[in-house]
C-alpha cells in the first residue's frame, strides 16, 4: 500500500470526471490526496476515494494565471515534499501538458510519476501513457489509473459519483417532482443566450413541468432572466453540495456543457445536454447516466475550442427548438435504468 497524489487542476466538471480514476487508485492505495486548482476544489470535496485535498494554482492551466514566482513554486514543492508521496498521477485534458507539474513533483522527491503525455517526457515520467481515439474523459482518466496498476472494485459502476449523504434542500425545492434548467457555463460560447434559455423554461412549464433554475452567485442576472415569472429562481442560493442535492432530486436536468451538468450526472440524474460543438461531445458530454445531446454538432465552430461564439446568432445553441428539449425531457424522465449511451438529437 502507498501514499498517492492524484492531480486534476482545472475546473469543477473536470475534477468530477476524475472521480472513477480517484476511486480506482483509492482501492489500491493506503492514502489518496487530490491536488486541485481553486476552481475545482469544491468538486474535489465531493469525490469518494480522496482522503484529503491540496489546492494550488497551476500557472500553465488556470484561465487567469498568476505570475510564476520562485517563492510560490518553492512553497508548493515544500508542501508536496512534506507529504512523502510514493506515487503521483497527473491528470490533464488533451490540450494540457502534465510535464510542468511532473517537474515540480520530481523536485519534491516523488519517486514515481505517471501521466498521459504526447510530449517526450525525458526523466519526468515513469509511466508515459497513450490513449487512442476520443473516449469519454472519465474513461480516458481511468485508463491512466489502470495502466498504473489500479482497478475499480468489481461492484463499482465506473461512472462519476458523489459522497453521500447530500444536504437537505426541501426548503429550496419545495414539494413534488421538478426539472432543473441550469443555463450558465464557464465561457459564453458554451451557453445559450438568456432569451433562448427563457424560451426553454416557458416551453417546459407549458408542458406541465415545475421548473427550478439554478446558477452560481455570479449568474444571478442570467438565472433571473431565464426563470422569468414561470420558474423558481435558485440562482446564487446554493452551495455546491446543495446544488448537487437539488440536481440529485430532479427528474431531468437541462444544461449546457458545464460543471453542473457533470454534477447532475455524478448525482445520477439524466441530462439534456445543450452542447456547443467547440469541444467534442463524445469526450465531454455528461457520462454515466442517460443523456440526450441537443445542438448542431456540425456547426462552423466545431472543434474550435472558442470561448466566445465566432458565429453570429450563436446558432448551434440558440436555434435549438424548445419542443425538442421538452421531448428529450419526457423521454429521459421515462428512463429508469442508467446507461452510458449518448443519444444525439440534432
Amino acid at each position: 500500500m502507498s501514499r498517492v497524489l492524484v492531480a486534476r487542476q482545472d475546473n469543477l466538471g473536470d475534477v468530477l470526471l476524475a472521480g472513477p480514476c480517484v476511486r480506482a487508485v483509492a482501492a489500491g492505495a493506503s492514502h489518496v490526496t487530490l491536488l486541485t486548482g481553486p476552481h475545482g476544489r469544491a468538486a474535489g470535496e465531493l469525490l469518494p476515494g480522496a482522503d484529503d485535498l491540496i489546492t494550488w494554482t497551476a500557472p500553465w492551466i488556470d484561465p487567469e494565471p498568476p505570475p510564476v514566482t520562485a517563492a510560490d513554486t518553492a512553497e508548493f514543492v515544500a508542501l508536496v515534499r512534506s507529504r512523502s508521496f510514493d506515487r503521483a498521477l497527473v491528470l490533464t485534458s488533451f490540450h494540457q501538458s502534465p510535464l510542468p507539474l511532473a517537474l515540480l513533483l520530481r523536485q519534491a522527491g516523488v519517486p514515481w510519476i505517471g501521466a498521459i503525455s504526447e510530449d517526450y517526457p525525458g526523466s519526468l515520467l515513469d509511466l508515459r501513457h497513450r490513449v487512442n481515439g476520443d473516449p469519454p474523459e472519465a474513461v480516458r482518466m481511468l485508463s491512466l489509473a489502470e495502466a498504473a496498476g489500479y482497478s475499480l472494485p468489481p461492484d463499482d459502476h465506473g461512472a462519476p459519483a458523489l459522497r453521500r449523504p447530500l444536504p437537505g434542500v426541501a426548503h429550496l425545492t419545495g414539494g413534488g417532482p421538478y426539472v432543473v434548467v441550469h443555463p450558465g457555463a464557464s465561457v459564453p460560447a458554451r451557453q445559450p443566450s438568456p432569451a433562448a434559455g427563457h424560451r426553454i423554461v416557458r416551453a417546459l412549464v407549458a408542458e406541465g413541468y415545475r421548473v427550478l433554475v439554478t446558477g452560481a452567485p455570479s449568474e444571478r442576472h442570467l438565472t433571473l432572466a431565464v426563470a422569468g415569472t414561470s420558474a423558481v429562481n435558485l440562482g446564487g442560493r446554493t452551495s455546491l453540495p446543495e446544488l448537487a442535492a437539488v440536481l440529485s432530486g430532479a427528474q431531468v436536468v437541462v444544461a449546457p456543457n458545464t460543471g453542473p451538468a457533470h454534477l447532475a450526472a455524478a448525482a445520477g440524474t439524466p441530462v439534456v445536454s445543450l452542447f456547443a460543438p467547440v469541444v467534442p461531445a463524445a469526450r465531454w458530454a455528461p457520462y454515466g447516466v442517460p443523456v440526450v445531446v441537443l445542438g448542431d454538432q456540425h456547426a462552423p465552430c466545431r472543434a474550435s475550442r472558442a470561448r466566445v461564439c465566432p458565429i453570429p446568432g450563436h446558432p448551434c445553441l440558440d436555434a435549438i427548438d424548445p419542443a425538442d428539449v421538452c421531448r428529450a425531457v419526457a423521454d429521459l424522465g421515462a428512463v429508469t435504468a442508467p446507461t452510458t449511451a449518448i443519444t444525439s438529437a440534432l
Side-chain angles (χ1 to χ4, degrees):
M1 302 293 278
S2 57
R3 295 176 57 83
V4 183
L5 177 72
V6 178
R8 183 78 204 212
Q9 292 183 272
D10 34 16
N11 292 323
L12 184 153
D14 307 297
V15 173
L16 290 169
L17 290 171
C21 175
V22 171
R23 299 197 307 274
V25 174
S30 58
H31 189 279
V32 176
T33 295
L34 180 63
L35 170 61
T36 73
H39 301 291
R41 181 181 176 90
E45 292 172 345
L46 292 174
L47 289 190
D51 295 295
D52 62 2
L53 275 73
I54 295 174
T55 300
W56 183 67
T57 304
W60 57 91
I61 289 180
D62 197 88
E64 297 179 355
V68 178
T69 67
D72 182 48
T73 54
E75 182 179 356
F76 173 70
V77 167
L79 173 62
V80 173
R81 184 179 293 277
S82 72
R83 298 297 188 98
S84 300
F85 294 111
D86 301 295
R87 302 182 113 199
L89 294 181
V90 181
L91 307 178
T92 53
S93 185
F94 74 97
H95 57 83
Q96 299 166 347
S97 173
L99 301 185
L101 180 58
L103 175 61
L104 297 182
L105 296 180
R106 283 290 192 229
Q107 292 177 339
V110 179
W112 189 98
I113 303 170
I116 299 170
S117 181
E118 293 298 323
D119 298 324
Y120 171 64
S123 59
L124 295 179
L125 298 180
D126 299 278
L127 169 64
R128 181 192 186 187
H129 181 50
R130 302 280 186 94
V131 178
N132 295 322
D134 199 25
E137 188 70 1
V139 173
R140 179 175 176 271
M141 288 188 278
L142 178 60
S143 75
L144 175 60
E146 292 170 339
Y150 300 103
S151 299
L152 288 168
D155 61 347
D156 193 314
H157 50 66
L162 303 176
R163 290 182 186 271
R164 303 281 180 163
L166 296 171
V169 290
H171 63 291
L172 296 171
T173 62
Y178 60 89
V179 169
V180 168
V181 173
H182 187 97
S186 59
V187 296
R190 298 183 185 180
Q191 70 182 46
S193 67
H198 183 55
R199 288 194 295 271
I200 289 170
V201 166
R202 290 185 62 185
L204 287 168
V205 171
E207 290 291 319
Y209 293 102
R210 189 164 66 94
V211 178
L212 312 183
V213 178
T214 57
S218 62
E219 296 171 328
R220 283 194 177 103
H221 291 296
L222 172 63
T223 60
L224 180 63
V226 170
T229 59
S230 304
V232 176
N233 179 16
L234 296 182
R237 296 176 58 190
T238 59
S239 64
L240 192 66
E242 289 172 330
L243 176 59
V246 170
L247 300 177
S248 178
Q251 296 170 285
V252 177
V253 171
V254 180
N257 179 20
T258 182
H262 299 295
L263 189 63
T269 303
V271 180
V272 177
S273 179
L274 311 178
F275 202 96
V278 292
V279 295
R283 176 171 287 181
W284 292 107
Y287 178 76
V289 296
V291 174
V292 173
V293 173
L294 296 178
D296 182 2
Q297 299 306 295
H298 303 285
C301 63
R302 183 181 182 185
S304 66
R305 291 171 49 205
R307 297 175 65 85
V308 177
C309 180
I311 311 301
H314 204 7
C316 69
L317 294 184
D318 281 10
I320 293 173
D321 188 340
D324 289 337
V325 178
C326 292
R327 279 190 289 270
V329 168
D331 291 344
L332 291 177
V335 173
T336 56
T339 175
T340 57
I342 295 176
T343 300
S344 183
L346 303 183

